Every structure is written in C-alpha cells, then in structure tokens.
Amino acid sequence: MRIGAHVDQVNPLDSARAREAEVVQFFLGDPQGWKKPVLPEGVEAVQDSDVDVYIHAPYVVNVATSNNRIRIPSRKILQQQLDAAASIGAKALIVHGGHVLKDDDPETGFENWRKVFERLDCPVPVYIENTAGGGNAMARKFERIARLWEVLSGVDGLDSKIGFCLDTCHAHAAGEELIDAVDRIKAITGRIDLVHCNDSRDAFGSG
C-alpha cells in the first residue's frame, strides 16, 4: 500500500517530498471551473520521480445529469482531463459520481454514465468516487453504486477504463457504516483502487 496526500498543483513533487508521500493527487487548474486543464509547473520532475500521480477532475463535472448545459461540457472536459492526466503519466483520473435532477429517474443517470464509457477514449482509467450528499446522486448510497456497476457491466473493455475511489468522509456523511464499507464495496465493484482516507466534520448520514 502506497500512502500520500492531496497537494497543491504548483510544484507537486516538492509537496510530496515535504510530506514523504509516495502518492500525490492534485487538480489541473480550477477545481470549480470549466476551463481546459493546465499542466502545473514542475510536472516533469514528478514524471521522472518514483511518486505515483493521480488527478482529480473538477468538481463541476456531472456526466449523469439530464441537463444538457452541464452534461455536454462535462463530457468534453472529462476527455480533456483524461488526455492531460495521461500526458503527465498519471495513474488515473478521479471523478465524482454526479447526480440527476430532483424529479428525474435515477436510471437516466446510470445510462448517461454508460454512454460516457462507450464513447470516451480512456488513456488512463476513470476512478468513480462515492459522494456525500444529494437525494438523486449516482454514488452516494452503496445500492446506487451497485446499480451503476450493473449498468456499466455491458460496456466493452470496461475493466481497463474504470476503477473505484472510496472516500471515507463521503461514506460517513452519506450514512454508510465504515466498519464494513470495504467489504461491501468490493462485493459490488470487485475492487478499490484508491482510498481518500478522511475524517468528517459533519454528522453520520447528514448528506
């Protein structure tokens, strides 16, 4: 098991060395924006090091939604982020599961994820991360994650395109007991590729 931290995108290797981190995660640009990814200063040093790199997609990405004004740019920026992540030798791109609108059938969101993986060029895998809130979230409750994996199971070459990131804070805030979360998720996805091991400022099940 390799242990690290989320670091600032400016000189990420310096941050890794300061923390004695074997793994780092960072953003490629504004985590709240829609602009193209920006390769950080000093990224070549990370590529040539023994530190594993993971990239987190912007928080605005929501490929599940039925809102075309969000879904279409989400798909575009997701591809841009994947290509940029691959160009710096990242292991994977982490993306939140997203959500559908309040009155939408959740199946719409699962199908939208399937369409993404059918059309996306994945030079590195996409790790879907469980999320904390939202009544119509795709990856808040574990039964929703199970349905998502079921829908995605028919996608050709899926194993090379997908992974799972378990966030402990998000699971706790979502109302999922942590004591057996690993076993329950692995029973669904068959894998946990990355763990965001965080405490939570919010109460159990608070969303």
Side-chain angles (χ1 to χ4, degrees), residues 100-119:
V100 292
L101 300 174
K102 181 169 67 75
D103 296 325
D104 283 344
D105 184 340
E107 289 298 315
T108 302
F110 302 136
E111 284 299 315
N112 283 338
W113 262 114
R114 181 182 58 78
K115 291 173 185 175
V116 164
F117 279 111
E118 286 179 342
R119 300 168 186 175

Side-chain angles (χ1 to χ4, degrees), residues 74-200:
S74 290
R75 288 180 178 177
K76 181 179 179 181
I77 199 171
L78 192 59
Q79 187 66 68
Q80 291 171 346
Q81 290 276 328
L82 278 165
D83 293 341
S87 77
I88 63 172
K91 296 287 187 183
L93 178 73
I94 291 83
V95 183
H96 287 174
H99 55 87
V100 292
L101 300 174
K102 181 169 67 75
D103 296 325
D104 283 344
D105 184 340
E107 289 298 315
T108 302
F110 302 136
E111 284 299 315
N112 283 338
W113 262 114
R114 181 182 58 78
K115 291 173 185 175
V116 164
F117 279 111
E118 286 179 342
R119 300 168 186 175
L120 205 61
D121 178 26
C122 292
V124 298
V126 173
Y127 289 179
I128 297 177
E129 178 183 346
N130 63 303
T131 51
N136 249 350
M138 299 296 97
R140 174 184 178 180
K141 302 301 288 184
F142 285 10
E143 62 261 28
R144 286 278 179 91
I145 297 171
R147 179 57 184 154
L148 177 58
W149 246 253
E150 184 180 14
V151 170
L152 294 177
S153 63
V155 176
D156 289 340
L158 184 69
D159 284 349
S160 64
K161 296 179 179 181
I162 196 171
F164 189 79
C165 173
L166 174 64
D167 188 299
T168 56
C169 165
H170 292 171
H172 173 83
E176 294 287 353
E177 294 285 356
L178 293 184
I179 191 71
D180 61 350
V182 167
D183 290 339
R184 288 189 291 130
I185 280 292
K186 288 179 77 174
I188 292 166
T189 65
R191 61 198 296 164
I192 295 175
D193 299 273
L194 190 69
V195 176
H196 289 168
C197 192
N198 310 307
D199 58 1
S200 178

Side-chain angles (χ1 to χ4, degrees), residues 6-75:
H6 185 98
V7 299
D8 191 276
Q9 56 194 290
V10 178
N11 292 317
L13 185 58
D14 290 349
S15 296
R17 296 290 186 234
R19 293 166 175 77
E20 299 182 359
E22 301 166 302
V23 181
V24 290
Q25 174 185 277
F26 49 88
F27 293 103
L28 296 177
D30 180 4
Q32 300 288 359
W34 293 100
K35 291 183 178 179
K36 287 183 177 181
V38 178
L39 300 186
E41 185 180 327
V43 72
E44 297 84 1
V46 186
Q47 286 179 272
D48 296 334
S49 76
D50 59 352
V51 176
D52 289 342
V53 172
Y54 292 85
I55 300 302
H56 200 301
Y59 296 128
V60 293
V61 171
N62 181 7
V63 298
T65 183
S66 59
N67 183 343
N68 288 341
R69 296 174 66 183
I70 299 295
R71 188 181 71 260
I72 293 171
S74 290
R75 288 180 178 177

